[in-house]
Structures are given as C-alpha cells and as structure tokens.
Amino acid sequence: MSLNRAPSQLPQAFHLVRQILSESTAAQGLTTKELVKEALKIYQSENPNHDATRLQASSSTVAESSTKGQGKGKGKGSNVLSVGKKEKGVNVIPEGHPFVSTSYLKSQILARLSSQSLLIKSPSHPSSSSSSGSSGKPTFVWRLNNPKQSNLSTPSWDYPSHWDSLISGEKTPGQTYYEYKQNQLERREEEKQRALDSGKVLRTERQIWEWDGRKDGLTTNMERSHLNKRRREKRPLKERRNLLAYERLIGVNGNEERMEKQVL
C-alpha cells in the first residue's frame, strides 16, 4: 500500500486522534499501539463488513514463511544457522484508513500535532507489577495539550480553534504551524520585556545600550572597565548622586517657571 495519500485524509486523521484522546480515561495518555487499537475499534464499528481476521491470517502466513528459510549449514568447522531474508511486517491498519500505517501515524500525524503543541509526548511510568515483565525499551504516551497561558497584551493562542482549523481543512498544517510559532515568538518577547522592566531579569550590556529608557549619565560595567578598581566601584554611586541632584535642580527650575506663568 502506498504511503502517499490525498490531502483530504489528513483532517480525518487529526480528528480521529483528537477524538480518541479526548474520550480516553487513561490518566497518563495512550501509546501509539493503543491509539491504533482504538482507531481499529472505531473503524470496525463503522464498517461492520470489514474482515478483521484477514490481517491476522496474513501475519501468521508471514511468520510461517520466515521460518521456512531456517536451516543448518556449516561454516569454518562449526554449525551455523542460516536464516532467510527478513520478511516485511504486515500493516494492521486497513486500506484507506486515515492513519495509513503505524509508522506513518508516528512520523507524520503525531509528529505534526506535537510540533504545534497540540499533543504532549511523555515517557510512561508503568506499575511495579507490569514493569517486571518489560523488555527495558522506553514506552511513550500521547495526550492532549491545553497549557495555561499568562495574561499578556499579545493575544493568547486559541488551541481549540487551532484544532478546528486542522480538522476542517481550512488551513494546512504548515499554515497553522507558522501562525502558532509567530504568536509564541511575540508572547515570549513581551514576557521577556516585562521581566526586564520589573527587574526580575538583568539586562546585558548590549540591551542596556539599546534600551530607550536608559538615563543619561549612567554607565555600564563595560563602560567603566578603563577605571581602576577603586574608582570603578565608587562610580555608580557617584553617577546616581549626580543624576539625583540634576533631577532636583530641573524640578526646582520647572516649579519656578510654572509659578511665574501663573503670576503673569
């Protein structure tokens, strides 16, 4: 079966993933195999004439054919086992299904949704009873993502509308990806600026030089690097004292000018 499919099937695949995960009662999420299993249940309920045993028979046939190529041979005085060419696995997903195949589901559908922060992929934490028989290979689960967003002037991202745009086919995954990343970039810039203005994050030398709110007469560490240690340590206090005196002087002169205008 070809992995190339019509663009109209992508929205169906996105809708199916969202439906399965939203209806799931699993606290951690679902693995890729569990997603496929639930998708096949939905497919069989919608297509009762589908022969579910055909794929099982095909898989058993492949398993038998792979064992026929095994035999004993000799190599350098010792018995060796000659194994035939490895057979290709059977696709358990029916022809025409939006998921196409398990590998396509992981690499194209789930990966796209994860890149746009619609899904979260995290390692599963099996119970002690089930972990005893595990092979040690890490298992990952998928779940829907709807993160909390800080209150900024830049509009927060509407994740439900994001889903609707993909499912309806109104926008391509590339368009929604670009719009989402642009929104996140603007929000990060605003959060960064807020942190700088509040003093939670210190500005770098370059940021201070480019800062519109920088007051005249105050220098940075780099601008004071030519001074000796004693002067370099005392210069900030001296600059702020001079700036405060200057602001007071400007304030007094400004008040006198306003009083003269009122008298006139």
Side-chain angles (χ1 to χ4, degrees):
M1 177 173 52
S2 175
L3 293 183
N4 296 326
R5 57 195 194 118
S8 59
Q9 285 185 293
L10 269 176
Q12 299 175 23
F14 296 147
H15 171 71
L16 192 56
V17 170
R18 188 187 190 188
Q19 176 185 349
I20 294 173
L21 292 178
S22 61
E23 295 176 355
S24 173
T25 58
Q28 293 187 13
L30 297 178
T31 63
T32 305
K33 290 183 178 180
E34 290 171 339
L35 277 171
V36 172
K37 183 179 179 181
E38 294 299 322
L40 291 179
K41 288 181 180 179
I42 296 175
Y43 182 83
Q44 291 173 7
S45 64
E46 296 175 351
N47 301 271
N49 296 329
H50 172 67
D51 187 5
T53 61
R54 180 177 58 85
L55 290 174
Q56 297 177 358
S58 300
S59 60
S60 61
T61 303
V62 172
E64 292 176 0
S65 62
S66 62
T67 58
K68 289 181 180 179
Q70 297 179 359
K72 289 186 178 181
K74 291 185 178 181
K76 295 185 179 181
S78 61
N79 293 335
V80 295
L81 186 65
S82 61
V83 182
K85 186 178 180 180
K86 185 178 180 180
E87 297 290 343
K88 190 176 181 180
V90 176
N91 184 17
V92 298
I93 298 179
E95 182 78 26
H97 193 278
F99 283 178
V100 181
S101 67
T102 303
S103 60
Y104 196 91
L105 171 64
K106 291 189 293 186
S107 62
Q108 299 297 326
I109 300 172
L110 296 178
R112 289 182 178 182
L113 295 175
S114 177
S115 67
Q116 302 186 32
S117 297
L118 295 175
L119 297 182
I120 296 179
K121 180 183 180 182
S122 57
S124 64
H125 302 286
S127 59
S128 57
S129 59
S130 60
S131 61
S132 59
S134 61
S135 59
K137 187 177 181 180
T139 304
F140 295 91
V141 293
W142 301 89
R143 68 177 187 272
L144 296 176
N145 183 31
N146 191 15
K148 295 181 179 179
Q149 303 181 72
S150 55
N151 186 18
L152 302 173
S153 60
T154 304
S156 58
W157 188 249
D158 191 347
Y159 286 93
S161 296
H162 189 164
W163 273 108
D164 294 339
S165 297
L166 289 174
I167 293 174
S168 64
E170 177 185 353
K171 296 179 181 179
T172 64
Q175 291 174 326
T176 55
Y177 177 83
Y178 173 79
E179 294 175 358
Y180 168 73
K181 290 298 182 181
Q182 188 66 26
N183 174 267
Q184 296 303 297
L185 177 62
E186 294 174 358
R187 290 181 63 83
R188 281 195 298 268
E189 287 295 328
E190 183 176 347
E191 289 178 344
K192 180 180 178 181
Q193 189 61 42
R194 280 192 176 187
L196 291 173
D197 294 340
S198 64
K200 293 181 179 180
V201 177
L202 298 179
R203 288 181 169 86
T204 63
E205 293 281 338
R206 182 175 295 276
Q207 288 174 338
I208 293 176
W209 297 341
E210 298 174 351
W211 181 27
D212 294 336
R214 180 185 181 185
K215 294 184 178 181
D216 295 334
L218 298 181
T219 59
T220 64
N221 291 330
M222 187 174 294
E223 292 171 335
R224 296 190 296 268
S225 60
H226 67 285
L227 301 174
N228 59 41
K229 182 179 179 181
R230 182 180 62 83
R231 290 186 175 183
R232 187 166 59 248
E233 292 176 350
K234 293 184 177 182
R235 179 59 63 89
L237 180 60
K238 179 180 179 181
E239 291 175 351
R240 293 191 177 277
R241 186 168 57 245
N242 293 339
L243 179 61
L244 181 60
Y246 175 75
E247 290 177 346
R248 287 177 178 175
L249 178 62
I250 295 299
V252 171
N253 293 338
N255 291 333
E256 291 179 352
E257 291 178 0
R258 284 194 295 270
M259 292 178 63
E260 290 177 358
K261 290 181 180 180
Q262 291 177 0
V263 172
L264 295 176

